[in-house]
């Protein structure tokens, strides 16, 4: 099942390209506000699922183009991010050429780590991310696999059974301002600005994602493909991420984890950009970027920048 | 005024050693989950304060020794901890302000136990801090208005696992183990602490004094912390900003330790420490 939030943060089921409003099925769920509704639905999903399925079968719904999709988990109770977590191609410059070798697999993994990102940063399809005045060296996109936790858990083992705690998967962009904080620290606060967590288009429930470590991710800026990778290249795969995180802290229904990305295909987000992310089995969503300060960077990935600099050196 | 959360996460007024149940004052505040109760009281405090004060005249309080005190805000939606806000930065160019988020699941209350995780760490140190509790929603709050966003203060021990995760990166994830945030013993409203930059903070382990500093020594003061934090993310009532610590006297926690933190004008917060692996570190 694909769950969405839309318009005034109503819950819906996405069926093909139609959204079916499932608010009637959650009328008895009492929460203080929009941000608590999806976690409450998730915690009670076994009971609610048949009603959602019936509404999705029986109601026509409205075309998704006629609604405003919101982030499906707009204010997670926690937002955990994998640090790095992908094998970074080794880039060398020699003989006027850029050579990339994949880093050795298994046994040569970087130490595992994670960090917490602001729960206020989530934004949704069609939103405009406004760059803050802070003097970041650059603001970059990091398109990642995201997952929403389905039940309270702690101290999981890194086995396939760990995936049972995942309610579903969604696309997420960990937008990152670089170089902030004390000199040389590249503070993670650069990732916590309002709107710096576009999420969407829906949560695909885990039963429709047999292997989260076999999903294609694509990310475009202004129709130019920037990131394209499969989640099979994660250093610590999803069960290991769950084991690591739950070894530190209890996870709750509605907690959100994004799984990291590799860095060679990261590029700037700047004023006027329109970005689109696609996650296999989940779908596509987009957002715009605005910068009141009109800062600009060459619209290229780190890899393209390295290649360009090698070419320019060769030409000079 | 002193506010507490106690027993099954009931909000309370603490006055003259007795705790008065504040649940009744929340009846007009809509649906509230357990962790939303104290933040909702804080958000509506101006409207509720007379009603809260009247509770003490009802004569139905219980001695505070007879209740189980929880952290006054038992699960803050955000805990933003100051990085490197220590005195050695002063006199030189101040280190830029920075924060990390600490997991809300880390919070424990008076008399609870810090449980060390089994992973290998260099050390599990304590950092005794003054914590600010936010009183109203704020974004881009200018420093000269920041103190009006402070609802009150409480004690906070920022426990961490050192030297875990990626070297030299500083994700601060090692600060976010469950139980690594003893908080309390209660919340004291801002009117009782007109100068939070002149508060003595001490921390003793097994009766031996370790940390002893004054909040006047911190590099970046509360208005600057609120201004910077709110320039990155919106602050909401009941959320926590910790002010950092003086690293002098910060030392390891280990199995069996009894920790007592005292914050002037607030009170004493006691924590126990348990290590399933019974590791030992030299205390000096």
């Amino acid at each position: 099942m694909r769950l969405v939030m839309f318009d005034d943060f109503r819950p819906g089921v996405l069926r093909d390209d139609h959204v079916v409003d499932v608010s009637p099925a959650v009328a008895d769920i009492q929460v203080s506000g929009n941000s608590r509704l999806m976690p409450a639905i998730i915690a009670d999903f076994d009971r609610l699922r048949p009603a959602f399925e019936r509404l999705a079968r029986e109601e026509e719904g409205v075309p998704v183009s006629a609604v405003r999709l919101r982030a499906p988990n707009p204010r997670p109770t926690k937002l955990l991010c994998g640090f790095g977590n992908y094998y970074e191609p080794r880039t060398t410059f020699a003989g006027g050429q850029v050579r990339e070798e994949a880093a050795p697999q298994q046994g040569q993994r970087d130490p595992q780590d994670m960090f917490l990102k602001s729960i206020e940063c989530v934004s949704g399809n069609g939103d405009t991310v406004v760059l803050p005045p802070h003097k970041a060296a650059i603001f970059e996109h990091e398109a990642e696999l995201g997952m929403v936790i389905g039940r309270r858990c702690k101290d999981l083992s890194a086995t396939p059974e760990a995936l049972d705690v995942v309610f579903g998967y969604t696309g997420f962009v960990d937008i990152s301002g670089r170089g902030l904080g004390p000199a040389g620290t590249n503070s993670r606060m650069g990732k916590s600005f309002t709107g710096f967590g576009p999420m969407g288009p829906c949560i695909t429930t885990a039963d429709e994602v047999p292997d989260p470590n076999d999903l294609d991710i694509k990310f475009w800026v202004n129709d130019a493909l920037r990131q394209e990778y499969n989640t099979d290249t994660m250093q610590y795969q999803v069960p290991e991420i769950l084991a690591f995180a739950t070894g530190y802290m209890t996870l709750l229904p509605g907690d959100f984890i994004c799984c990291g990305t590799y860095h060679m295909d990261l590029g700037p987000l700047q004023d006027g950009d329109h970005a689109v992310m696609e996650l296999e089995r989940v779908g596509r969503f987009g957002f715009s970027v605005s910068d009141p300060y009109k800062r600009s960077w060459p619209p290229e990935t780190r890899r393209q920048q390295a290649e360009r600099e090698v070419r320019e050196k060769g030409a000079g | 005024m002193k506010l507490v959360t106690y027993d099954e996460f009931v909000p309370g007024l603490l006055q003259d050693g007795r705790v008065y149940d504040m649940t009744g004052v929340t009846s007009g505040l809509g649906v509230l989950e357990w962790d939303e109760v104290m933040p909702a009281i804080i958000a509506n405090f101006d409207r509720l304060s007379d009603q809260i004060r009247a509770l003490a005249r009802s004569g139905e309080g219980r001695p505070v020794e007879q209740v189980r005190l929880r952290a006054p805000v038992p699960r803050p939606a955000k805990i933003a901890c100051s990085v490197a806000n220590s005195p050695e930065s002063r006199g030189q160019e101040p280190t830029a302000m920075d924060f990390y988020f600490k997991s809300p699941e880390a919070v424990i209350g008076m008399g609870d136990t810090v449980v060390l995780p089994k992973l290998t760490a260099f050390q599990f140190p304590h950092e005794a801090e003054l914590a600010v509790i936010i009183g109203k929603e704020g974004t881009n709050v200018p420093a000269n208005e920041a103190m009006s966003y402070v609802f009150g203060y409480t004690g906070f021990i920022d426990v961490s696992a050192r030297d875990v995760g990626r070297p030299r990166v500083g994700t601060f994830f090692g600060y976010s183990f469950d139980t690594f945030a003893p908080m309390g013993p209660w919340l004291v409203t801002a009117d009782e602490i007109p100068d939070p930059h002149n508060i003595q903070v001490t921390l003793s382990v097994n009766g031996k004094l370790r940390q002893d500093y004054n909040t006047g020594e911190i590099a970046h003061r509360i208005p600057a912390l609120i201004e910077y934090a709110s320039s990155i993310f919106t602050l909401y009532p009941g959320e926590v900003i910790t002010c950092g610590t003086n690293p002098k006297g910060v030392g390891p926690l280990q199995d069996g330790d009894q920790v007592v933190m005292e914050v002037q004008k607030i009170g004493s917060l006691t924590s126990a420490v348990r290590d399933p692996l019974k590791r030992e570190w030299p205390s000096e």
Side-chain angles (χ1 to χ4, degrees):
Chain A
M1 186 178 290
R2 295 179 190 210
L3 288 181
V4 296
M5 296 209 100
F6 68 102
D7 290 349
D8 52 342
F9 293 92
R10 298 171 165 269
V13 171
L14 187 61
R15 187 203 60 227
D16 303 319
D17 58 353
H18 276 62
V19 173
V20 174
D21 187 345
V22 298
S23 312
V26 303
D28 60 344
I29 291 188
Q30 298 209 296
V31 286
S32 59
N34 297 325
S35 66
R36 293 258 164 160
L37 181 55
M38 189 57 84
I41 289 171
I42 289 168
D44 210 6
F45 193 65
D46 287 346
R47 180 180 72 83
L48 294 168
R49 183 167 192 146
F52 284 16
E53 284 169 344
R54 184 175 45 75
L55 284 165
R57 265 196 320 269
E58 295 174 2
E59 299 296 317
E60 171 152 6
V62 292
V64 69
S65 53
V67 307
R68 180 170 179 185
L69 277 185
R70 302 288 192 173
N73 190 10
R75 189 174 189 245
T77 34
K78 292 197 290 297
L79 210 176
L80 281 64
C81 306
F83 187 91
N85 199 36
Y86 277 77
Y87 291 97
E88 303 279 354
R90 286 195 220 292
T91 306
T92 54
F93 311 100
Q97 283 196 339
V98 178
R99 258 191 220 100
E100 275 187 20
E101 307 154 24
Q105 310 290 303
Q106 291 303 325
Q108 301 238 7
R109 302 192 286 187
D110 301 296
Q112 193 172 11
D113 210 348
M114 302 185 82
F115 56 92
L116 291 167
K117 192 168 150 99
S118 167
I119 62 173
E120 318 301 350
C121 76
V122 176
S123 52
N125 184 61
D127 285 346
T128 299
V129 176
V130 180
L131 301 183
H134 299 63
K135 292 178 170 47
I138 192 169
F139 297 94
E140 288 183 313
H141 52 78
E142 295 187 5
E144 306 187 10
L145 173 63
M147 51 192 178
V148 186
I149 300 300
R151 61 172 194 251
R152 188 181 183 94
C153 52
K154 184 91 202 318
D155 291 324
L156 294 172
S157 300
T159 63
E161 285 67 40
L163 298 179
D164 294 346
V165 306
V166 178
F167 175 75
Y169 299 91
T170 187
F172 187 77
V173 185
D174 177 19
I175 299 179
S176 307
R178 307 287 184 200
L180 295 173
T185 63
N186 192 27
S187 167
R188 242 82 22 212
M189 280 294 114
K191 294 166 174 273
S192 278
F193 293 102
T194 302
F196 271 38
M199 184 195 290
C202 62
I203 300 171
T204 296
T205 51
D207 57 323
E208 294 190 15
V209 182
D211 186 359
N213 284 112
D214 185 18
L215 297 172
D216 286 333
I217 292 179
K218 293 193 176 77
F219 187 83
W220 295 263
V221 176
N222 302 330
D223 297 321
L225 185 63
R226 292 264 183 97
Q227 292 184 257
E228 180 179 20
Y229 68 100
N230 189 284
T231 55
D232 64 355
T233 49
M234 271 189 215
Q235 285 191 357
Y236 298 91
Q237 308 237 310
V238 173
E240 291 175 290
I241 293 175
L242 293 167
F244 182 81
T246 58
Y248 278 63
M249 58 187 74
T250 301
L251 296 181
L252 307 175
D255 279 355
F256 190 87
I257 301 182
C258 57
C259 299
T261 188
Y262 70 97
H263 291 71
M264 280 312 292
D265 294 327
L266 304 187
L269 288 173
Q270 57 196 313
D271 189 54
D273 280 350
H274 182 71
V276 174
M277 175 177 176
E278 183 181 88
L279 172 61
E280 186 180 352
R281 295 187 183 270
V282 175
R284 225 182 237 230
F285 72 102
F287 60 94
S288 301
V289 181
S290 132
D291 181 6
Y293 298 87
K294 308 293 181 205
R295 289 160 287 193
S296 74
W297 294 271
E300 60 192 359
T301 64
R302 294 187 187 185
R303 184 199 310 266
Q304 289 164 343
Q305 178 186 3
E307 290 168 348
R308 172 173 61 77
E309 287 171 354
V310 165
R311 275 197 311 275
E312 287 169 357
K313 247 199 203 82
Chain B
M1 203 181 280
K2 292 179 174 52
L3 301 183
V4 298
T5 298
Y6 66 101
D7 290 348
E8 299 311 305
F9 301 98
V10 178
L13 166 72
L14 172 63
Q15 193 164 306
D16 301 322
R18 299 185 79 84
V19 174
Y20 300 87
D21 185 343
M22 288 201 294
T23 307
V25 314
T26 66
S27 59
L29 300 183
V31 173
L32 296 171
E33 294 177 58
W34 70 283
D35 58 320
E36 298 178 298
V37 172
M38 189 59 85
I41 291 172
I42 291 170
N44 291 277
F45 189 73
D46 288 346
R47 194 159 58 78
L48 299 174
S49 59
D50 287 344
Q51 208 181 331
I52 294 172
R53 270 190 210 97
L55 291 170
R57 298 193 288 274
S58 71
E60 283 163 22
R62 291 166 57 200
V64 67
E65 305 78 36
Q66 288 180 14
V67 308
R68 178 178 177 179
L69 283 179
R70 306 286 189 173
V73 185
R75 189 193 186 274
K78 298 201 292 296
I79 303 171
C81 299
S82 299
V83 177
N85 198 21
S86 50
E88 57 234 7
S89 319
R90 305 199 82 190
Q92 313 146 0
E93 199 52 44
T95 313
M97 271 181 290
D98 199 10
F99 294 95
Y100 54 92
F101 291 110
K102 199 163 164 101
S103 162
E105 272 53 73
V107 173
I108 57 175
M110 177 70 162
D112 286 340
T113 301
V114 173
V115 180
L116 304 186
K118 290 187 184 154
L119 94 171
T120 303
F122 171 70
Q123 206 182 79
F124 297 95
H126 51 77
E127 294 176 30
E129 308 192 12
L130 179 69
V132 169
I133 310 292
I134 296 296
K136 60 186 189 193
E137 181 176 333
T139 305
N140 290 319
V141 175
N144 62 8
E145 293 173 26
M147 294 310 289
S148 71
Y149 287 75
V150 175
F151 179 75
Y153 305 90
T154 190
F156 191 95
I157 306 179
D158 194 8
V159 182
S160 60
R162 287 302 174 82
D163 293 350
V164 297
R166 288 259 197 138
R168 291 179 304 282
V169 162
T171 63
F172 300 100
F173 208 60
Y175 281 82
S176 275
F177 286 93
D178 281 3
T179 77
F180 272 31
M183 191 158 75
W186 36 72
L187 184 162
V188 170
T189 51
D191 57 311
E192 293 197 13
I193 305 185
D195 186 4
H197 302 105
N198 188 16
I199 296 293
Q200 203 66 19
V201 175
T202 66
L203 187 144
S204 303
V205 177
N206 303 328
K208 210 164 153 231
L209 185 66
R210 291 245 188 114
Q211 292 186 263
D212 184 1
Y213 72 94
N214 189 286
T215 57
E217 300 163 26
I218 63 175
H220 300 286
R221 302 201 146 198
I222 292 168
L225 297 177
I226 291 175
E227 181 181 71
Y228 187 61
S230 67
S231 76
I232 304 171
F233 42 83
T234 302
L235 296 170
Y236 291 96
E239 293 183 349
V240 175
I241 295 182
T242 71
C243 298
T245 198
N246 184 330
K248 182 165 181 285
V250 165
L253 293 176
Q254 59 193 22
D255 189 59
D257 280 350
Q258 288 291 317
V259 183
V260 178
M261 171 180 178
E262 292 204 24
V263 182
Q264 190 183 6
K265 292 192 186 288
I266 296 180
S268 263
L269 175 66
T270 305
S271 305
V273 181
R274 182 161 58 84
D275 179 10
L277 298 183
K278 313 278 184 224
R279 288 162 287 190
E280 287 181 12
W281 287 269
S283 62
E284 228 50 39

